[in-house]
Structure formats: structure tokens, C-alpha cells
Amino acid sequence: MIRNRVAIVGMGQTPAYRRTEASLGTLVLRAARDAIRDAGLKGTDIDGLAARVRAQALNIAFPADGLDRASTMYVADGLGLGTLSWCAGLNEGANQVAAFVEGVHALVAGACNYVLLYNQVARPKDIAYGATTELASRGPEQFMRPYGWLLAMQRPAAWLNRMFHEKVLTEEDLGYVVMNDRKWAARNPAALLRDPMTMDQYLASKPLVPPLKLADCDMPVDAAYAWVITTVERARNLPHKPIYISAAQVGLSPHSGDHDSGGIFGFPDLTRTVHDYTMRTLWENAGMSRDDMDIAMLYEGFSPMALFWLQALGYAGKGEAGAVMRDIYTGKRGPAVNTHGGVLSTGRNHGAAAVSEAVLQLRGAAGDRQVAGANAAVVTMGGIMQDSGAMVLTSKQA
Amino acid sequence: MTTDKPTRPYPVADAETEFHWEAARLRELHIARCAGCSQFIHPPRGMCPRCWSDDIRPERVSGRGTVYTYAWNEMGGRAPGWDGGYLTVVVELDEQPHLRMLTQLVNCDPRRVAIGMRVRVTFEEIGGGIILPQFEPNPEP
């Protein structure tokens, strides 16, 4: 029940202009600034952000952040906010956790009883993924596309080149992520790439945007995924063993940039990612530690992202993620990672298959690839800058 | 001045970015700067993220910087004008830590790129009277 538990304490608005030189993004920032000041607060007090974000000019195929809309990323960055521990309407990208977070909050608030969550992924038809014939580059992209900054994989590649320079990661470190995915995919009938891979085979994979190779990138697929969540009282009367959600959070870090450019322009340290900030509270929120996890589903739309997650979750210190991944691959240490084969083997489902795999493992129903006695799993989603989300799941209610 | 439209992705200026492209036409590099707290802001914004001032003004900068990182796109850009391998560079300008621009390395073999390389601004016309600030190796220390 929300009855009288929340209050409105600040407001801001701009004049309604028929014509103005200011961009839509600037108007949003001014209104937001004035609302925070009206509340007697500072930017650093704000740790949650929500918006109904919609491109104003609906005939624009690629709305520009700050011009046609102002994403929550644009507003957080434009106000210079700190780490946000909750964010809604973050963007439209790769984060299945965001829907879970909203559903969990609604159930806890008593807004509904059974929530249906769904995911859809689509493979572009008759055009290469990320291809475009549009030359006019508007908004933040006017400082990007004219310089050939056109593909999603250029971003992690630039991050990696900096990390390699600072000796935080090596090419072989990425190989262990791919080899580990393939190791598990061999036991997953639903995986698409099921052949094991050696380090030599990995290093010989076709270079796309070096150091990223074909083997480092997930492949587009058509697929749909759905889940039902409810309160624990109701869960007890249903057929399956309940899988409890100990923590579910999405967040945003300082300097993460706008939706279209990400942090490439202003993120201070490219040996880190947004998750290093947003996930500091995960284990405290879950009431469990990383060492309690039997399984870690680490999102890796590009292979290095799994290594970034090992660092953000505290499994590896700076410069250690590759060695930790190697030991996980060889079975020398836990947790088991990406036991379905990851998105690299199962297709570009934006991490949806990872949620279902974690549930299957915690139900004890994962067949040939069942991790013996698996009681707890962490499931992460999100790449480098946008979409930082994670859940901690357990089959045992504390 | 040629009036042909560029055959590769080109910038479309808006009210908050026009100064940057106008300056490039005069072969100068101008970056948005907050008159309240002196913070440079790129890409330009209408409000300062640090002190929340609305008073953002263009300022000419030295055009000197350092290669912060880069991406060599071996597979091509999947857009007109970007066939084959090419380089995109992230340059950090001398004026302020973490003040970065995307650019391309011109007037040298792009395969020579290295993090830490000193660079300076130069200008390239891409058609339609549009001139892009670009960067080239800077032999000065």
C-alpha cells in the first residue's frame, strides 16, 4: 500500500515556447534543475530517476538524444548526478533486468498480484545489423558518425585498446570467456554454437574491430522469452519450487554520457565501466556475498563484458579478471559462469536466456549441465556504459 | 566551395552546435565552455553539468591533444563512404582532463596510431562546404 507514504516536494518547468533556440534536452535539464532546487536539495541527493521518454518527432527514424528526446542517461549526465541506485526508462537496449525491477517494485508496493514479463529480440531482415544509408547525423551523433563511429563494437574495442594499454586485460583473457561459453554450450541443446573452441582457434578467429573478433560477438536471432513473478505467499501454492529474487537493480554511474554516445567523451577511466559504480550495493541489498553464488550469468554480448562484470561484482581486482576467468574455465574455481553457453552461443537475446538458465539451474532441472547443489545465482546485464542491471536469485529463502 | 552533398555521414548542426561547425569553416577549433565555472563541455550542452549555469559560450582552444584510445574498423562501417578498414580515434584535448573528441588521424599512415601520440587539429572538407576538424601527428613536444 502506498497510502500517504510518498510526497511531492519539488517542481520545475520551463515556459511553453512556440519557437525556441534551446534544444529539448536543455529545456528538460532546466526544468529538472529547478525542481531539485525547489525541493531544497542538491544534485548529489538524487539517487533515482524515472521518465516517460518518447521521441517527439515521430517521423524521425533515429531520434537524437537531446534533440528529439531526452533520455534518462542524458538527464543524469547533463545534471552531473552521482551514482543512481534506481532508474526507469533508462533506454531501449539490452537489459532484461529493468522489467524485473519494475515488476518486483510493483508487487512489493501491492500494485498487482501476478506480473507477466516478456522479452523480444529481432534479427534485422534484408539489411546487415547496424547498417544504414542515412548520411545526415544529428544530435550527439554529429560528433561521431562523420568520423566513422558507426558500429556498436567500436565502443568496446576502443575501451579494450585502452585497457590493453594499461595492462588490465589481454587478448587471451577474452579467449577464456568464449572458450568457457562453448564448453557449456556443448551440453545445451538450445545453443546454436556448440563446438568447443581452443585458444589457437579463438586467436585465429576473423578480426572485425580488433581486438574484437567474430568469436567475441553475439549473433542476431529472432526469439521471445517470458516469465511470471508473484509474491512469495502466492508462489508457495504454485507447481514449481519458487526461485526467490534476493536483489534486482538497475542503475547509472556518473559521467556515463547520453544514450547515443555513452561515456566515450567523458567517462574518466576507461579501465572501469558503469557497473563498477552501480553494483557496489548489490551484495548488501541481496543479503548474500559473491562467495555464496554457485552460478554467475555474466552478460557478454561482446566477450570482454563478462570480464568487466567479474571486476564489477568483486570476483576480480583491477587486472585480475583474465586470470579469474581462466580458472573458472578450467574448473579450478567457482562460480560456474554462463552455464547455457552465454549469448555468444545462444544468440543475441540481450541476456533473457541467462535469466531462464539461472531459474532452470536453481530448480535443479538443467539436465546434463546441472551444477550440483546450485542454490544461488547472480545474473547480470548490460554492456559498458548503458543498461547496468543485475539480479541475485536463490532457491532458499533466507 | 563545392555544393555537392557529402557522400559519407556528415554533421547536421543545431542551435547548440552551430558555432563548432562555423568555426571549423574558418579553420578554428571551438569548444563549448561554461562562463560560470569555466568547464569545457563536449559534445556541447545548453546547461553546465557542473554548476548548472545556462551561460554556455564557444571558446577557441589550442587544438593540441593526445590520442586516448582508438578503434580500427576492419569490417567497414556498413554505411556509404566507409568501405574497408579505417581508423577512428579518441583524442583528449590539452585544455581539460577527460575532454575528448572523436576524430580520424590524417596526414599519416593510420596504422601508426598509438595511445599517447601527440596530435594537433587540422581541417578536412568532406563536400557540401562542410569542414570537419581532424587531427594529425604533432611533431612539437
Side-chain angles (χ1 to χ4, degrees):
Chain A
M1 294 284 275
I2 64 170
R3 189 179 299 161
N4 297 342
R5 290 176 62 196
V6 174
I8 298 168
V9 296
M11 295 193 291
Q13 67 179 55
T14 69
Y17 302 99
R18 294 301 296 270
R19 292 193 192 283
T20 172
E21 285 288 282
S23 70
L24 183 63
T26 297
L27 298 184
V28 171
L29 291 175
R30 287 177 185 163
R33 169 193 65 194
D34 295 348
I36 297 167
R37 283 181 173 160
D38 184 51
L41 297 173
K42 297 188 179 70
T44 47
D45 295 316
I46 303 296
D47 60 358
L49 185 61
R52 182 79 180 86
V53 178
R54 182 176 180 183
Q56 291 301 304
L58 294 177
N59 59 337
I60 293 173
F62 302 101
D65 205 4
L67 274 189
D68 308 306
R69 63 170 179 178
S71 71
T72 47
M73 288 187 71
Y74 182 94
V75 172
D77 192 59
L79 290 170
L81 300 183
T83 302
L84 303 184
S85 55
W86 175 77
C87 224
L90 185 59
N91 70 25
E92 302 75 38
N95 195 341
Q96 304 316 314
V97 174
F100 275 89
V101 170
E102 298 316 304
V104 167
H105 289 179
L107 288 165
V108 170
C112 47
N113 297 327
Y114 299 93
V115 178
L116 174 65
L117 306 168
Y118 65 92
N119 161 262
Q120 57 205 307
V121 288
R123 183 179 63 84
K125 314 294 188 289
D126 306 321
I127 188 168
Y129 210 90
T132 179
T133 53
E134 180 59 63
L135 300 180
S137 306
R138 306 167 58 251
E141 296 206 318
Q142 70 190 273
F143 299 101
M144 302 158 64
R145 297 174 82 250
Y147 298 107
W149 196 252
L150 299 160
L151 298 177
M153 71 181 73
Q154 286 169 288
R155 196 175 297 182
W159 237 263
L160 279 173
N161 282 330
R162 185 74 200 183
M163 288 186 174
F164 283 16
H165 174 76
E166 299 205 17
K167 305 198 186 311
V168 175
L169 291 177
T170 69
E171 202 173 0
E172 283 79 6
D173 294 343
L174 311 187
Y176 289 117
V177 175
V178 183
M179 291 154 67
N180 178 76
D181 277 353
R182 293 294 189 91
K183 178 182 88 172
W184 287 102
R187 292 183 240 170
N188 180 8
L192 299 170
L193 298 179
R194 302 187 61 194
D195 293 332
M197 188 175 261
T198 65
M199 184 61 84
D200 285 344
Q201 285 170 327
Y202 167 76
L203 292 171
S205 176
K206 183 184 172 188
L208 299 180
V209 184
L212 292 175
K213 313 175 206 313
L214 187 60
D216 293 306
C217 307
D218 63 5
M219 66 199 128
V221 293
D222 290 312
Y225 302 80
W227 309 271
V228 175
I229 60 175
T230 188
T231 57
V232 289
E233 297 77 20
R234 292 180 180 88
R236 289 192 191 105
N237 301 319
L238 298 173
H240 283 291
K241 178 167 81 172
I243 304 305
Y244 302 100
I245 300 173
S246 304
Q249 59 194 67
V250 290
L252 207 49
S253 82
H255 309 295
S256 50
D258 56 73
H259 173 268
D260 298 341
S261 61
I264 196 68
F265 289 111
F267 199 64
D269 177 1
L270 297 200
T271 67
R272 297 194 166 280
T273 64
V274 59
H275 321 310
D276 285 16
Y277 299 82
T278 58
M279 292 303 145
R280 280 176 188 160
T281 53
L282 181 71
W283 302 119
E284 186 191 335
N285 289 343
M288 284 190 278
S289 87
R290 66 184 70 89
D291 298 324
D292 296 325
M293 298 299 112
D294 304 294
I295 295 166
M297 309 300 289
L298 305 179
Y299 179 75
E300 28 62 296
F302 299 109
S303 65
M305 292 168 177
L307 302 171
F308 303 160
W309 274 110
L310 284 174
Q311 180 175 295
L313 296 176
Y315 288 107
K318 192 170 172 173
E320 297 170 355
V324 170
M325 191 67 235
R326 182 194 60 216
D327 288 349
I328 287 171
Y329 163 68
T330 57
K332 204 178 284 180
R333 60 160 291 171
V337 166
N338 294 353
T339 52
H340 60 325
V343 291
L344 292 181
S345 298
T346 61
R348 184 176 297 147
N349 52 62
H350 295 159
V355 178
S356 298
E357 170 71 7
V359 171
L360 211 55
Q361 288 279 353
L362 297 181
R363 281 181 180 175
D368 288 348
R369 61 185 191 281
Q370 179 65 45
V371 175
N375 287 320
V378 59
V379 185
T380 70
M381 286 181 215
I384 301 172
M385 297 311 301
Q386 306 163 332
D387 298 308
S388 187
M391 284 198 288
V392 176
L393 305 177
T394 180
S395 55
K396 289 190 174 165
Q397 196 182 13
Chain B
M1 190 175 84
T2 169
T3 52
D4 295 339
K5 278 269 182 194
T7 54
R8 55 185 258 184
Y10 59 87
V12 178
D14 54 67
E16 288 171 1
T17 66
E18 204 170 6
F19 75 89
H20 182 85
W21 304 113
E22 284 296 326
R25 255 191 282 280
L26 302 172
R27 300 185 179 264
E28 292 183 4
L29 181 62
H30 289 205
I31 298 291
R33 190 174 202 184
C34 173
C37 74
S38 301
Q39 177 95 346
F40 285 99
I41 306 160
H42 187 79
R45 291 274 172 86
M47 195 182 102
C48 175
R50 193 163 77 170
C51 76
W52 292 358
S53 167
D54 288 326
D55 194 357
I56 310 296
R57 302 174 192 181
E59 184 166 311
R60 187 177 185 181
V61 294
S62 68
R64 286 191 287 271
T66 304
V67 171
Y68 186 74
T69 190
Y70 59 89
W72 176 269
N73 187 353
E74 183 68 34
M75 66 186 291
R78 297 190 174 179
W82 296 104
D83 306 325
Y86 66 88
L87 180 73
T88 303
V89 167
V90 182
V91 165
E92 194 158 289
L93 299 178
D94 283 358
E95 272 72 13
Q96 179 178 291
H98 321 309
L99 178 65
R100 304 189 194 118
M101 294 179 66
L102 288 180
T103 185
Q104 293 185 288
L105 207 53
V106 296
N107 301 330
C108 85
D109 177 359
R111 301 239 177 221
R112 272 186 53 212
V113 69
I115 290 172
M117 184 185 227
R118 292 290 292 160
V119 290
R120 66 185 176 194
V121 75
T122 182
F123 297 89
E124 179 190 17
E125 176 159 6
I126 60 167
I130 295 172
I131 296 182
L132 299 184
Q134 295 281 25
F135 283 77
E136 64 183 1
N138 186 356
E140 298 156 24

